[in-house]
Amino acid sequence: MSRISPVPLSALPDSLAATLERGLQSGMLSSSVPVQVWAHRPALAQGWLALLEQFHFHSLLSERVRELVRLKVASVTTCQVCQLARKSEEVSEEDIACLATDSDRFTPAEQAALTFAGLFAGDYMELDDKHYVALAPYFSEPQITELNMYCALMLAGGRMTYVQQAY
């Protein structure tokens, strides 16, 4: 049970309800509950969802890389809700089972992104120039910037949902 009471769906402002519906339909969101909790601050909830939509619909990173990164962050933070959610069919259960290794099932670009995401979420003080150098052959500077931002959003969102028990 959520630690903060979810706002009933019928009480959501129209714009937030529409964004929530788009998120659920597109697979960007796997549950309405976190948004219903955030709806106590509708403008902030709308802003958070607008940022998620930018990543979901206008990303410079592939859907597969984003999903691998999201799941890698979830594996480090041990948020079971985040680990169980599936937001892309481009990542198989076999892929997920190999997230903890340098499996050859991942491309060098995916391995570099997964290493970065794992350190970002779990041991960020170890991230240094060599990790950015490792990303550079596969990702442009705008993509690396987005990867940083996406890791931050996934870390924060997963942690917030877990702490609030908004699932």
Side-chain angles (χ1 to χ4, degrees), residues 1 23 43 53 73 98 112 132 140:
M1 173 174 239
E53 283 187 319
V73 169
C98 294
Y132 284 85
S140 66

Side-chain angles (χ1 to χ4, degrees), residues 47-67:
W48 187 281
L49 291 174
L51 182 56
L52 272 176
E53 283 187 319
Q54 286 298 310
F55 285 114
H56 192 76
F57 294 112
H58 307 289
S59 181
L60 299 176
L61 301 171
S62 71
E63 178 181 327
R64 179 174 166 81
V65 165
R66 285 193 326 274
E67 181 67 352

Side-chain angles (χ1 to χ4, degrees), residues 95-116:
D95 291 331
I96 295 166
C98 294
L99 282 177
T101 69
D102 292 333
S103 173
D104 61 3
R105 70 183 300 111
F106 303 118
T107 67
E110 292 167 347
Q111 287 179 356
L114 285 166
T115 297
F116 183 88

Side-chain angles (χ1 to χ4, degrees), residues 64-156:
R64 179 174 166 81
V65 165
R66 285 193 326 274
E67 181 67 352
L68 288 170
V69 163
R70 185 189 71 76
L71 289 165
K72 182 65 174 182
V73 169
S75 74
V76 172
T77 62
T78 65
C79 177
Q80 289 184 340
V81 173
C82 300
Q83 289 174 312
L84 294 174
R86 298 294 180 260
K87 309 231 179 208
S88 172
E89 293 180 12
E90 292 190 25
V91 175
S92 69
E93 293 303 312
E94 292 81 15
D95 291 331
I96 295 166
C98 294
L99 282 177
T101 69
D102 292 333
S103 173
D104 61 3
R105 70 183 300 111
F106 303 118
T107 67
E110 292 167 347
Q111 287 179 356
L114 285 166
T115 297
F116 183 88
L119 289 171
F120 190 101
D123 197 6
Y124 64 94
M125 297 296 282
E126 289 299 313
L127 275 175
D128 58 21
D129 292 346
K130 73 178 177 225
H131 296 98
Y132 284 85
V133 168
L135 291 168
Y138 313 108
F139 300 100
S140 66
E141 285 189 332
Q143 288 175 311
I144 294 169
T145 300
E146 184 174 315
L147 177 62
N148 277 258
M149 296 171 77
Y150 191 69
C151 286
L153 188 63
M154 294 302 100
L155 181 62

Side-chain angles (χ1 to χ4, degrees), residues 38-50:
W38 307 340
H40 288 285
R41 296 286 289 139
L44 297 177
Q46 190 69 48
W48 187 281
L49 291 174

